[in-house]
Amino acid sequence: MKSASVKSWYLVHKWTSLISTLFLLLLCVTGLPLIFHEEIDHALGYSAEAPDMPEPAPRANLDDIVAAAKARRPGDAMQFVFRDAEDPRLWLVRLGEKANSEDASAFYTYDGRTGAYLNEYPLNKGVTNFLLRLHVDMFAGLPGTLFLGLMGLLLVASLVSGTVLYGPYMQKLNFGTVRRDRSPRLKWLDLHNLLGIATLVWFLVVGFTGVVNTLAVPVFGQWQATQLAEMTAPYRGKPPLTEMGSVQKALDAAHAAAPGMELGFMAFPGNDFASPHHYAIFMKGTTPWTSKLLKPVLVDAQTLMVTDSRDLPWYVSTLLVSQPLHFGDYGGMPLKVLWGLLDALAIVVLGSGVYLWARRRNVSFEAWLRSMQGDKEVAA
């Protein structure tokens, strides 16, 4: 590669890295404990555990669980019901001041076999909630989320340009070389490049899925404005509901319409994921892959008849697949541990990049290139 091309890639790598590194460090540091957020919540007593029962266990009526949740907060509206992804014996119920309120007012856990109340998850409290808000939007809402998405795009550009520069860097060095007998800056340069190329694929996967995840609000907004609006169009102009039918029967109707699938979550009438006249029941597959994909089934909240069911468009499915992949939620604890180790290496890569910039800020590109190729060490 000609020196001019190398210089262009060097400038791309330098500025994309400088602009994004501090925010990416924030994401990696906060993301590391979030990989194990379920285990942390359990250790802190925030999550419930289903008691052991002899098999075959009974199954509680969902209407009883919903009634029990509403009795705890009679002035609030039901928003969602879903089964715990890690333990399907648990039913989770979310309420809000209104059905379409952005924030929850309560989050209850029930035993799906007996209908017994188990616990209330503490909202807006705890270390995982604080870290999640930092990781998702830096407490700045949608603008903060989209800004972090932009930082993710810069990360991808930094990774691509760094990979291109790795060729000239390795021309006169064996793979994995760390020149321990040279200056501290040069040793960290070797280590930075070695760990960067070793974690490249993981970094690209997490960076790309992170960018996709920042688009969740506009992606679902597009779905609501197009496909969901089309599915509920026949009900436009109808008077509002005065009474809703059985939640359990609505779920049974969804199971009949989507055989071989199980409940992902149910949105109640008036919620943005449903309509003023429907239960929107999002069914999912039973394999590790298909369990991340959803199929909405609309059930008339009065007649309890299925009115429409369609596969989600590709852009929503892409988002649904990206969300668990970002945190390594596909393969249980072994994959979480692997994700944690790679995240820790990513922190070393980003931190060493900051150190190298601080030590090299007054060094010319030509001297840097000679140092990379092993011809001449730049003075520390």
Side-chain angles (χ1 to χ4, degrees):
M1 189 184 300
K2 294 182 179 179
S3 178
S5 298
V6 174
K7 185 172 184 179
S8 297
W9 283 108
Y10 164 79
L11 292 174
V12 171
H13 186 68
K14 173 183 177 180
W15 290 110
T16 54
S17 300
L18 285 178
I19 295 170
S20 63
T21 292
L22 290 179
F23 296 101
L24 295 173
L25 269 172
L26 168 70
L27 293 176
C28 286
V29 171
T30 56
L32 184 56
L34 287 175
I35 295 172
F36 306 98
H37 70 94
E38 291 158 346
E39 290 75 17
I40 294 173
D41 282 348
H42 182 73
L44 294 175
Y46 294 163
S47 59
E49 192 170 331
D52 292 330
M53 291 181 63
E55 296 293 341
R59 178 176 295 181
N61 189 297
L62 191 53
D63 289 319
D64 295 335
I65 292 177
V66 169
K70 292 179 68 175
R72 288 181 171 274
R73 298 187 71 92
D76 289 354
M78 292 293 302
Q79 291 186 322
F80 301 101
V81 168
F82 49 99
R83 302 186 80 167
D84 189 284
E86 298 296 323
D87 188 348
R89 298 174 298 176
L90 301 177
W91 286 89
L92 309 175
V93 180
R94 170 174 155 155
L95 294 90
E97 292 183 1
K98 296 180 179 179
N100 62 348
S101 296
E102 182 176 351
D103 297 323
S105 60
F107 200 92
Y108 300 134
T109 303
Y110 289 86
D111 190 323
R113 302 159 300 174
T114 64
Y117 168 81
L118 295 179
N119 86 327
E120 178 178 359
Y121 188 87
L123 299 174
N124 302 318
K125 296 178 182 178
V127 63
T128 54
N129 176 75
F130 176 78
L131 293 174
L132 182 63
R133 287 295 309 275
L134 266 180
H135 191 85
V136 170
D137 61 13
M138 300 185 300
F139 295 92
L142 181 59
T145 299
L146 296 177
F147 175 79
L148 290 176
L150 175 61
M151 295 301 101
L153 289 176
L154 292 180
L155 167 64
V156 174
S158 175
L159 293 172
V160 172
S161 57
T163 304
V164 173
L165 290 172
Y166 193 68
Y169 176 77
M170 293 303 295
Q171 283 181 358
K172 297 184 179 181
L173 294 172
N174 294 323
F175 179 79
T177 296
V178 177
R179 289 168 283 183
R180 297 180 178 85
D181 56 336
R182 309 294 283 274
S183 71
R185 190 204 62 79
L186 198 54
K187 286 187 291 186
W188 275 107
L189 175 63
D190 290 340
L191 189 62
H192 174 82
N193 285 281
L194 174 60
L195 294 180
I197 205 67
T199 58
L200 173 65
V201 174
W202 178 85
F203 238 143
L204 282 171
V205 169
V206 172
F208 176 76
T209 55
V211 171
V212 173
N213 290 341
T214 63
L215 302 176
V217 171
V219 163
F220 277 113
Q222 174 68 14
W223 172 76
Q224 290 160 348
T226 53
Q227 190 179 84
L228 181 60
E230 185 179 333
M231 296 169 72
T232 59
Y235 285 76
R236 245 176 244 147
K238 284 193 174 185
L241 289 174
T242 56
E243 187 176 349
M244 290 185 289
S246 166
V247 181
Q248 182 64 58
K249 290 182 179 179
L251 179 57
D252 292 341
H255 275 295
M261 304 184 77
E262 59 186 28
L263 177 67
F265 72 92
M266 177 189 296
F268 281 69
N271 190 275
D272 289 340
F273 284 86
S275 85
H277 302 89
H278 291 90
Y279 293 111
I281 303 173
F282 291 79
M283 306 297 286
K284 64 180 183 178
T286 57
T287 67
W289 173 260
T290 60
S291 66
K292 311 304 178 184
L293 301 173
L294 299 173
K295 182 175 184 177
V297 179
L298 294 189
V299 178
D300 187 301
Q302 282 188 321
T303 67
L304 302 178
M305 300 291 291
V306 174
T307 63
D308 206 340
S309 178
R310 308 181 188 183
D311 291 330
L312 289 172
W314 66 269
Y315 54 88
V316 180
S317 295
T318 300
L319 172 66
L320 294 175
V321 171
S322 295
Q323 288 176 334
L325 185 58
H326 186 68
F327 286 108
D329 283 347
Y330 277 102
M333 183 54 69
L335 189 59
K336 286 185 177 183
V337 171
L338 176 61
W339 244 237
L341 292 173
L342 290 169
D343 192 306
L345 290 177
I347 293 173
V348 175
V349 173
L350 294 168
S352 60
V354 173
Y355 167 78
L356 291 169
W357 170 78
R359 296 297 301 270
R360 197 180 59 221
R361 60 185 182 275
N362 295 320
V363 176
S364 67
F365 164 75
E366 289 74 15
W368 170 84
L369 181 59
R370 289 195 300 271
S371 173
M372 286 187 68
Q373 294 176 330
D375 293 336
K376 180 180 178 181
E377 181 181 358
V378 179

